[in-house]
Amino acid sequence: MAAADRIELCSGLKLGGLTPSVGLVKTVCQLLQRKVAEETGKDGRNRGVNVIKVMVMIRPRPGDFTYSPEEIRSMVMDIEAAASAGADGVVFGVLTTEGHVDVPAVRELVMKCKELSLDVTKYSPSLLRLLASPSSSSSSFLHHFPTLPFARTYILIGTGFFSLPFVVFPSFHRAFDLCKDLSEALNILCALGIGRVLTAGGEASVLEGKEKILQLVEQVEKNGMSISIMAGGGLTCDNAIQIVRETKCHEIHGSMKRVKKTAMTIKGDDKEAFGEWWVSDTETIAATSKRTLTLDELKDELKDYKRVVN
């Protein structure tokens, strides 16, 4: 429970992240639910534990993001499996060979998410204000968003839980950065019902793509788009504050990975294959979250700032 707001759960971190097994998804969801239950008093009030959402990677293989019809069918089934295992939402990305959003495939995956009411929520300050306002009601909310489906989630406000409706939005991963025209791709994804895009601004890292990330954030705000830009790719504890400040992103994403070495005695060529693997480092995640939470300058610069660490 390293102070992250969400987990992007995947296998094969060294391969950029692949779909995890159903057993892994169930195990993680049950562990988080147990932790929340342990920290919840008899009065139903949370005692300070962070409520973490589990977002499951839907990526059937390493390599590019152009998929066959059979692979798309497997992704649909993986979304169903993730939902049945207790996940809060999913992350995916599908492109054409020409470097455009694969509209039919993405539409099919989005519709499956909506059918299952997977809650892949975006943290929009304006949406939070609307939901939290004394005059807010289901009818007034539907007036603003008449065509969108709903899921129900629990938002921690102060020390208590409040149950509020949230819009169902899947997330699009860094396949976005391979699109020929990021601005056009963003418009298409928003129209398809994607609610969050992970991006390094079309570059290898957020530091290299920070100017483009800022342009995308401004595109969203200027046009009132129902989509969130999440900066990720080469994000570290040391550059997280800079990225939030210079891109005006409300969400950041990082694997915060480290190499874990086996305790087994392995000889010869097998040592390279089985001797080490990548894991996310909880201490680094906690340190990054703490920095973004305690920087007073950010609160002054971004008055509507709502930080989310993924």
Side-chain angles (χ1 to χ4, degrees), residues 167-245:
V167 186
V168 177
F169 282 123
S171 296
F172 202 88
H173 58 51
R174 280 194 63 202
F176 178 79
D177 285 335
L178 299 182
C179 291
K180 286 188 175 180
D181 187 328
L182 298 188
S183 180
E184 177 187 62
L186 183 63
N187 287 331
I188 292 171
L189 291 173
C190 184
L192 287 171
I194 293 293
R196 180 186 296 109
V197 169
L198 173 62
T199 181
E203 302 293 343
S205 72
V206 286
L207 285 175
E208 296 174 78
K210 59 185 179 181
E211 290 82 8
K212 185 59 181 180
I213 298 173
L214 175 59
Q215 290 176 18
L216 294 170
V217 171
E218 291 175 341
Q219 178 181 339
V220 167
E221 294 179 350
K222 180 181 179 181
N223 297 291
M225 299 167 69
S226 298
I227 196 165
S228 178
I229 303 299
M230 180 163 64
L235 188 103
T236 67
C237 183
D238 294 327
N239 65 29
I241 292 173
Q242 177 188 355
I243 293 303
V244 172
R245 179 187 285 117

Side-chain angles (χ1 to χ4, degrees), residues 234-268:
L235 188 103
T236 67
C237 183
D238 294 327
N239 65 29
I241 292 173
Q242 177 188 355
I243 293 303
V244 172
R245 179 187 285 117
E246 296 184 14
T247 66
K248 303 299 186 287
C249 272
H250 296 279
E251 301 178 299
I252 55 176
H253 166 99
S255 62
M256 312 299 178
K257 59 182 175 288
R258 64 178 174 83
V259 175
K260 185 170 183 178
K261 295 184 180 295
T262 182
M264 293 178 62
T265 300
I266 301 178
K267 298 179 180 179

